[in-house]
Amino acid sequence: MRHLATPRSVAEALDGVGYLADDGLATAAFLALRMGKPLFCEGEPGTGKTSLALGLADALGVELIRLQCHEGIDATQALYDWDFPRQLLHLRALDGKVDPDEAERSLYTRRFLLARPLLRALESAPCVLLIDEVDRADDEFEAFLLEVLSENAVTIPELGEIRAAEPPLVVLTSNRTREVHDALKRRCLYHWLEHPDLARELAIIRRRVPGISDRLATQITTAVRRLRSAELLKPPGVAESIDWAQALLALDRTDLDAASAAVTLGAVLKYREDADRVIAAGLDALLAG
């Protein structure tokens, strides 16, 4: 794993792979690396939480392993499972050639183990483990996750303990659809991600959308910031700013006027109610100035 000695070097390494981090975020990432603690990133959708983990993996030159959380996720989906179809084929191949106890033992060996993201991360470290949208998981999964992150090890009854030779860099993200328990947060360093300021978002768009003019990038960034201040169901994030810029360039538009905004609004607003509200308020008002 590449060694990054200061928060500034973290910011520069992330900049080198296309992620523009402010001082606070670069410091939080540096401390997570230096202290060996998970980094819990919380904020509105589209503020760059998931992209941070991708950027850190690229900057450090290590593998990114991603666990996407969802309602009902359990330890089997996150940690490991047994390959039952292969085990069944193995039993058929034995066809009574060995005694039952030996046949049973042969079923629970590493060749039949399916490593899920958490186990892969423990075995693959150094790596970056992204536990994405942990707020979508259930309380029981949080408790399980806390145990694994505290020990950096798991015990598989049939195989014994598997411990990380070097703890992975863990990045957890939350869109705050619900409050994550304090016990998990206390295990982590915490950072709240805001939407970037005007200058930083302009820099991000210029970096991610080569060939865009300063005028169009400024128009898009200004309009998106106005959308975020409106009472929308889902205010647009940086990803939507980039999508809007790419959509306008794909249509060979050089200026963001009302007509251009009307035909590309679906790139930046993803709810019909939001689009209706913006159109009713007037696209000229959105693009004024």
Side-chain angles (χ1 to χ4, degrees):
M1 181 186 291
R2 179 181 176 186
H3 179 67
L4 300 174
T6 63
R8 181 177 179 82
S9 66
V10 171
E12 291 173 348
L14 287 171
D15 187 15
V17 296
Y19 188 96
L20 302 181
D22 61 23
D23 291 341
L25 183 55
T27 300
F30 167 76
L31 291 174
L33 284 165
R34 177 61 61 89
M35 299 169 64
K37 293 178 73 68
L39 177 59
F40 188 98
C41 295
E42 198 166 40
E44 296 293 329
T47 51
K49 302 181 295 296
T50 300
S51 296
L52 171 65
L54 276 65
L56 284 169
D58 285 345
L60 295 169
V62 297
E63 181 183 4
L64 173 78
I65 297 175
R66 179 173 182 169
L67 173 62
Q68 180 64 52
C69 297
H70 55 81
E71 185 178 352
I73 190 173
D74 59 21
T76 298
Q77 296 166 296
L79 190 56
Y80 74 91
D81 200 0
W82 293 103
D83 192 339
F84 295 118
R86 288 191 64 206
Q87 288 175 318
L88 183 59
L89 288 173
H90 176 68
L91 275 180
R92 290 175 176 172
L94 291 178
D95 194 24
K97 297 175 184 176
V98 298
D99 68 75
D101 289 341
E102 184 178 345
E104 182 177 354
R105 285 193 297 271
S106 71
L107 289 175
Y108 295 99
T109 59
R110 192 53 196 261
R111 64 182 289 201
F112 298 116
L113 187 70
L114 298 174
R116 304 303 188 195
L118 291 182
L119 181 57
R120 285 178 51 215
L122 293 177
E123 293 185 313
S124 303
C127 65
V128 173
L129 170 61
L130 168 61
I131 302 175
D132 212 9
E133 296 185 322
V134 69
D135 53 318
R136 294 184 179 274
D138 302 325
D139 293 350
E140 294 78 5
F141 184 75
E142 272 190 49
F144 157 75
L145 199 58
L146 180 64
E147 182 180 354
V148 173
L149 295 181
S150 297
E151 300 295 331
N152 285 305
V154 296
T155 298
I156 300 175
E158 298 85 356
L159 299 178
E161 183 183 78
I162 297 177
R163 181 174 295 274
E166 178 180 342
L169 172 60
V170 181
V171 178
L172 301 98
T173 75
S174 168
N175 292 330
R176 210 171 189 178
T177 58
R178 69 169 178 85
E179 287 293 337
V180 174
H181 286 189
D182 288 343
L184 184 58
K185 284 188 174 182
R186 286 199 303 268
R187 177 67 182 82
C188 308
L189 297 173
Y190 178 85
H191 189 80
W192 175 267
L193 275 78
E194 300 278 1
H195 289 292
D197 60 24
L198 179 65
R200 186 173 298 276
E201 190 156 9
L202 271 172
I204 292 171
I205 290 177
R206 291 182 184 122
R207 180 75 64 87
R208 297 292 298 274
V209 189
I212 193 169
S213 68
D214 288 345
R215 172 180 170 79
L216 184 56
T218 301
Q219 289 176 322
I220 292 168
T221 305
T222 302
V224 168
R225 293 179 69 81
R226 286 175 180 158
L227 289 172
R228 288 179 189 145
S229 65
E231 295 182 0
L232 301 179
L233 294 174
K234 186 185 183 301
V238 177
E240 284 74 32
S241 299
I242 294 169
D243 285 347
W244 206 5
Q246 291 173 336
L248 289 163
L249 282 190
L251 294 171
D252 295 323
R253 304 298 172 92
T254 59
D255 193 62
L256 181 57
D257 53 23
S260 298
V263 296
T264 57
L265 207 54
V268 70
L269 297 178
K270 305 304 171 70
Y271 284 85
R272 177 182 176 182
E273 295 87 343
D274 288 344
D276 288 346
R277 180 172 298 175
V278 169
I279 291 170
L283 292 176
D284 289 329
L286 174 66
L287 306 173

